[in-house]
Amino acid sequence: CRFIMICNNACKVIDPLRSRCICLRVPAPGAGEVKSCMERAFKKEKGKVLPGPVADRIAGMAARNLRKAMLMLEACSVKHDPITDSAEPVAADWEVFVGIIAHNIVETQTPKRLMEIRQQFYDLLGSCIPAELIMRKLTVELLKKLDDCLKPQVLHYAAYFEHRMQQGSKPIWHLEAFTAKVMALYARWSVEFMEVMDDFDE
């Protein structure tokens, strides 16, 4: 009897199991392949040609994730029927939710806000969203909102706490620790920025 096991991250597979398997790395499909798959699926389901600009936008937002692209295409088809060249893809609910968390982090840096964000993390984890995916998306959203001088530090701590998350058993602790660290960095930067502005005004 032979088994075929599939995983997204081989480092999580224990060594005894990896040593007894032939490991094959299959790269994610390129944007062109994702677009081609969407066009074929749309043709079979709707009997129409998927507009090229829409396919390009979805393929770009999906970041080579074919399943995500198909789900976005389905959501877009429900929201825009028929789909035209100007139709905008619909982001997943959890991605919108992570964007709200990033906004909350930048908006207020208080213990009360940190506890609110902790509950939001629990809601995401309870919806079976992987902690690594939450960390990655949150980092991307934060980088859009933060000053350039803070971005290297945020990337450093994102990598640090994601590594700790891989080794630990409670993802919520590491997500919360990363959030607290970013809050501290942003609060300190805000104070220093205001001091510089005050000196400039004088």
Side-chain angles (χ1 to χ4, degrees):
C1 182
R2 297 185 178 183
F3 296 92
I4 298 176
M5 294 174 285
I6 302 174
C7 68
N8 292 326
N9 192 345
C11 68
K12 292 185 177 182
V13 181
I14 60 175
D15 290 334
L17 184 57
R18 292 175 65 180
S19 65
R20 289 167 173 79
C21 298
I22 298 176
C23 298
L24 301 176
R25 293 183 180 272
V26 181
E33 294 175 291
V34 172
K35 182 179 176 181
S36 177
C37 289
M38 287 192 297
E39 289 172 344
R40 288 199 302 270
F42 191 80
K43 181 71 174 178
K44 289 181 179 180
E45 290 290 330
K46 297 290 187 178
K48 302 176 182 178
V49 177
L50 178 65
V54 177
D56 290 333
R57 285 194 288 270
I58 293 177
M61 293 176 63
R64 302 177 66 186
N65 187 326
L66 183 57
R67 181 175 62 177
K68 181 179 178 180
M70 288 298 184
L71 291 174
M72 291 178 66
L73 176 60
E74 183 179 7
C76 187
S77 179
V78 171
K79 184 177 180 179
H80 306 282
D81 193 12
I83 295 181
T84 61
D85 290 350
S86 60
E88 289 295 329
V90 181
D93 291 341
W94 73 268
E95 292 181 314
V96 176
F97 197 59
V98 171
I100 294 173
I101 293 176
H103 173 75
N104 292 340
I105 291 173
V106 175
E107 184 181 44
T108 307
Q109 298 81 44
T110 61
K112 180 180 178 182
R113 177 54 59 89
L114 182 61
M115 293 303 296
E116 292 173 356
I117 293 174
R118 178 186 176 91
Q119 183 57 50
Q120 292 172 326
F121 282 140
Y122 270 124
D123 293 340
L124 286 170
L125 294 171
S127 299
C128 299
I129 305 299
E132 295 83 1
L133 207 55
I134 297 173
M135 178 74 80
R136 193 176 308 140
K137 182 63 178 177
L138 179 59
T139 303
V140 171
E141 292 297 324
L142 285 170
L143 292 177
K144 297 177 183 178
K145 301 176 182 296
L146 298 177
D147 189 81
D148 289 344
C149 66
L150 290 176
K151 292 179 180 179
Q153 298 178 71
V154 172
L155 288 171
H156 167 75
Y157 286 110
Y160 173 77
F161 285 111
E162 185 175 11
H163 177 67
R164 295 286 298 273
M165 188 190 301
Q166 300 286 349
Q167 298 176 326
S169 58
K170 297 288 185 181
I172 186 65
W173 292 352
H174 306 289
L175 290 169
E176 186 179 11
F178 172 66
T179 302
K181 191 65 180 179
V182 173
M183 281 184 166
L185 290 171
Y186 187 77
R188 184 166 64 246
W189 174 84
S190 298
V191 172
E192 293 174 352
F193 180 77
M194 292 305 297
E195 290 177 352
V196 171
M197 293 301 296
D198 290 341
D199 293 340
F200 181 78
D201 291 338
E202 294 176 0

